[in-house]
Amino acid sequence: MNVSNGEDNTEKSLFALVCGRVQQWKGPDVLCKAFSHLNEAIPNINWIGRDTYYTENATKTQHLTVEFPEIWNKKIIHAASLENQKMLALQSKSKFGIVASTWDMFNFTGVEFLSQGVPVICSDNAGCSSLIINGFNGFKYKNNDPIELANRLQMANKLTDEEYKSMCKAALSTVKINLSATTTINSNLAMYASLSNNGQEIKRNLFLNNIFEPSEDQYSFDATLDRQPLKQILKYISKRIKNKL
């Protein structure tokens, strides 16, 4: 996953960008159909990613060229995959990132855009859509709904400079807060605890917490022991001595 520090102030030369394979479930058909439902023209959208086979004898880009001759490579401009750093630079030059997947796991490109302060227009069938709040840090639309996607594209295109800057700040803060180490570790620990104990809360292990929780401080082993309850340490020492004897 490509991640920047979110402080790139490069002039936005692209309206919107899709980063992903040109594949049926990545939603190129839905995006093409959305253009036919636009009430007003919007700037071209760029799609960066490798082509895939759609049938035994035709690739997906060949299919899209035939099916949407006035849109594919006319209004949605396709180019082959780029190396990571070049892709990162292109993402930072985009006003919006698009995740048009008709289904997806999480989709890291959505987070890559957000981490650079780029709002995301996202299908609600992509896992990263859980991070998107409509009109706050991007726009979410109903999966496989080109009319609603067209509406979201038009809303994005009509944002004022002030509204857009506010959305960019929200996109960046979403990653810093929702995907911080502290947030994700605590969330994962809570999930593991519920799964391992049939939903019953398990008492947290203070020793492991102090070792693994994020901290700017550097602790030696002694310092870690200093942070443990003395009663538990004495109980352990007593047990250890008995086992030795």
Side-chain angles (χ1 to χ4, degrees):
M1 183 176 74
N2 305 317
V3 178
S4 78
N5 61 10
E7 302 299 328
D8 192 341
N9 294 315
T10 306
E11 182 180 355
K12 305 294 186 179
S13 57
L14 302 176
F15 169 63
L17 175 66
V18 182
C19 302
R21 297 182 300 278
V22 185
Q23 195 168 29
Q24 183 69 21
W25 58 272
K26 288 292 186 181
D29 299 76
V30 181
L31 191 54
C32 285
K33 290 175 183 177
F35 269 87
S36 65
H37 292 288
L38 292 171
N39 295 323
E40 299 176 10
I42 65 169
N44 290 343
I45 292 173
N46 292 75
W47 189 304
I48 308 295
R50 66 178 177 84
D51 196 6
T52 63
Y53 271 95
Y54 180 64
T55 66
E56 184 177 347
N57 300 314
T59 67
K60 186 59 184 174
T61 58
Q62 290 171 334
H63 167 256
L64 293 167
T65 300
V66 172
E67 191 72 16
F68 305 99
E70 300 302 316
I71 297 173
W72 190 254
N73 272 330
K74 298 290 196 313
K75 298 178 180 178
I76 301 175
I77 312 301
H78 172 244
S81 299
L82 298 172
E83 60 185 45
N84 284 351
Q85 289 305 310
K86 290 182 178 179
M87 181 65 82
L88 184 65
L90 201 59
Q91 287 175 318
S92 69
K93 293 179 181 178
S94 305
K95 287 190 69 175
F96 297 92
I98 298 180
V99 178
S101 303
T102 55
W103 73 270
D104 219 330
M105 296 295 287
F106 184 69
N107 194 289
F108 284 111
T109 60
V111 179
E112 289 173 354
F113 281 117
L114 293 173
S115 74
Q116 298 179 81
V118 177
V120 174
I121 302 169
C122 188
S123 156
D124 65 5
N125 247 31
C128 64
S129 66
S130 62
L131 297 172
I132 306 302
I133 299 174
N134 223 1
F136 175 67
N137 57 0
F139 296 98
K140 197 154 43 175
Y141 69 94
K142 187 177 180 181
N143 171 51
N144 225 351
D145 189 336
I147 297 177
E148 190 166 319
L149 174 54
N151 173 264
R152 300 295 186 253
L153 290 170
Q154 289 183 158
M155 291 174 67
N157 192 42
K158 290 180 179 179
L159 289 175
T160 65
D161 287 344
E162 185 176 346
E163 289 171 336
Y164 179 70
K165 288 178 181 179
S166 175
M167 192 171 281
C168 290
K169 289 180 180 178
L172 185 58
S173 67
T174 296
V175 174
K176 289 184 175 181
I177 296 173
N178 294 53
L179 297 182
S180 69
T182 300
T183 299
T184 54
I185 288 173
N186 286 335
S187 176
N188 287 340
L189 288 175
M191 180 183 68
Y192 297 152
S194 66
L195 292 174
S196 63
N197 200 39
N198 296 319
Q200 300 298 315
E201 184 177 355
I202 296 177
K203 186 176 181 180
R204 301 187 69 181
N205 186 310
L206 295 178
F207 183 77
L208 293 179
N209 287 351
N210 290 334
I211 291 177
F212 294 113
E213 282 188 344
S215 173
E216 295 181 358
D217 299 321
Q218 298 295 321
Y219 293 107
S220 65
F221 183 71
D222 288 352
T224 301
L225 288 176
D226 287 339
R227 302 179 69 192
Q228 310 309 312
L230 183 59
K231 184 178 180 180
Q232 287 187 335
I233 294 177
L234 292 174
K235 184 177 180 180
Y236 171 77
I237 292 174
S238 175
K239 178 181 177 183
R240 185 79 178 266
I241 292 173
K242 288 179 179 179
N243 288 338
K244 284 288 184 180
L245 296 176

